[in-house]
Amino acid sequence: MASANGQFHAHADATQSRAQAPRRIVLLGATGSIGRSTVDIVERSPEGFSVAAVAGGRDVEALARVARAVRAEFAAIRDESAYGALKEALSGTNIQVGAGREAVIEAALREADLVVSAIVGAAGVEPTYAALAAGRDVALANKECLVCAGVPFMRTAAEMGVRLLPMDSEHNAIFQALGGEDPSRIERMIITASGGPFRTWSRERIAEASVEEALNHPNWAMGPKITVDSAGMMNKGLELIEAHHLFGVPSEKLDVVVHPQSIVHGLVAFSDGSVTAGLAVPDMRTPIAHCLGYPDRLTTPTPRLDLAKIASLTFEAPDFERFPALKLALEALRVGGGLPTVLNAANEIAVAAFLDRRISFDGISRHVADACEAAMRDGTANAPESVEDALAVDHIVRERSRSALAGHAASGMLTLQ
């Protein structure tokens, strides 16, 4: 479980009752890539799980399909206007329906053994925190919860005595590689990056990349926002910030290495020179199954690792000149306070603008840099004391970003003055 200083410990005695089937879960972000993979695991073990609630954003048909497939008791959609459509899509079932922000929070608060947090972006912060504060264990696939509000999240987890189980492949690999070791003996914690579609591209070519090129990830099938983050390596910066809070490791002990094969997901180097690593084929069902079954292990249909067939694994240092977003994130981690919150909010708005073809790919990192500088000047980047504080900063930065990008579209210039 998470302690007050962010260190992560596993206690088998506290999990024995939770390991009994069926395990009751809530799935937030049920229609995204993580949600679909979670549903696949649950459907393969119908006697092992019962689903208290599912929640999604706007896709009524997809949410209704998921709710029916897993026999959910409650389905919530973030879009308030979609209530009627969802109710009609689930007619003839006993599934209760809700719509709007409060309905998603209601889903998060349903009685459950584990809440899977897979909503993309800062939209996942409020319902995930509600579940945590209510004493629910959380399987965290949403980086932004700890990027935006890491200190209050970890403090609440410690106070409530609940677990934040890491569901991202990198953090899950590190969690397993730690093996319950004393975190004070860690010399370095390393997450790997595939390098994305632009790993070998020049800086000039990356700057001119199209939306289609950015979404063409070589290894992973993810949603558009996360895939664009991967193309610019912003996702690795967000993951380092998350690791800092999740495992209580200072920024100077955190590192990234580019590993194109995406077989090694995370490594931990200890004071005696030992290095442990988490390896698996690139399939999100592996870390998802680990969290759903923890502390037991589920049987999954994922491809098995065959190192002889792969033959070679390669590693490279990251290039901060070609991928400035990673450098920005590392600086936000070093400075701390509310700067990671600012970084994330500005990045979400800039990525949306890129996907809408309103700015260039290199405009994402330029906008984020400007937003961070503006927040440092006027105090917006001061450390948030609560989740509410963090969400207030998030709102301010989003409004500024929308205004700045609208001005950029009108004049061809980008400014946050």
Side-chain angles (χ1 to χ4, degrees), residues 88-120:
E88 181 178 352
L90 291 173
S91 64
T93 73
N94 293 322
I95 301 171
Q96 297 175 309
V97 172
R101 166 182 163 272
E102 292 296 334
V104 175
I105 293 174
E106 179 185 346
L109 292 174
R110 289 279 171 136
E111 188 66 36
D113 299 308
L114 183 71
V115 175
V116 176
S117 171
I119 297 175
V120 175

Side-chain angles (χ1 to χ4, degrees), residues 181-331:
E181 294 276 358
D182 183 351
S184 68
R185 302 300 184 189
I186 296 171
E187 284 191 346
R188 270 203 317 163
M189 186 174 283
I190 305 161
I191 62 174
T192 62
S194 68
F198 306 150
R199 181 176 66 87
T200 61
W201 289 27
S202 68
R203 183 172 182 174
E204 293 74 22
R205 191 180 174 199
I206 293 172
E208 298 173 354
S210 69
V211 170
E212 290 75 17
E213 288 170 330
L215 293 177
N216 187 28
H217 197 283
N219 297 343
W220 296 96
M222 304 176 289
K225 193 271 180 182
I226 298 173
T227 305
V228 171
D229 280 347
S230 178
M233 291 191 69
M234 174 63 85
N235 69 321
K236 291 301 132 180
L238 299 179
E239 287 168 7
L240 286 174
I241 297 169
E242 182 182 5
H244 162 69
H245 291 292
L246 192 60
F247 301 112
V249 175
S251 60
E252 61 270 17
K253 290 187 176 183
L254 293 169
D255 204 357
V256 176
V257 65
V258 177
H259 170 50
Q261 295 82 16
S262 295
I263 297 298
V264 180
H265 301 281
L267 307 96
V268 183
F270 295 98
S271 56
D272 62 358
S274 300
V275 179
T276 60
L279 287 74
V281 297
D283 188 320
M284 278 305 301
R285 290 176 297 178
T286 297
I288 289 169
H290 181 259
C291 290
L292 291 181
Y294 185 82
D296 295 332
R297 290 192 183 269
L298 305 178
T299 300
T300 71
T302 57
R304 278 13 185 191
L305 181 60
D306 185 340
L307 289 174
K309 184 176 180 180
I310 294 169
S312 65
L313 302 175
T314 59
F315 303 90
E316 309 161 8
D319 186 333
F320 297 112
E321 294 301 316
R322 291 188 299 124
F323 298 97
L326 177 57
K327 186 175 182 180
L328 288 170
L330 289 172
E331 180 65 9

Side-chain angles (χ1 to χ4, degrees), residues 59-65 67-68 82-93 95 97:
D59 193 335
V60 170
E61 292 184 5
L63 183 61
R65 283 198 302 270
R68 287 175 179 271
Y83 175 80
L86 182 61
K87 189 170 182 63
E88 181 178 352
L90 291 173
S91 64
T93 73
I95 301 171
V97 172

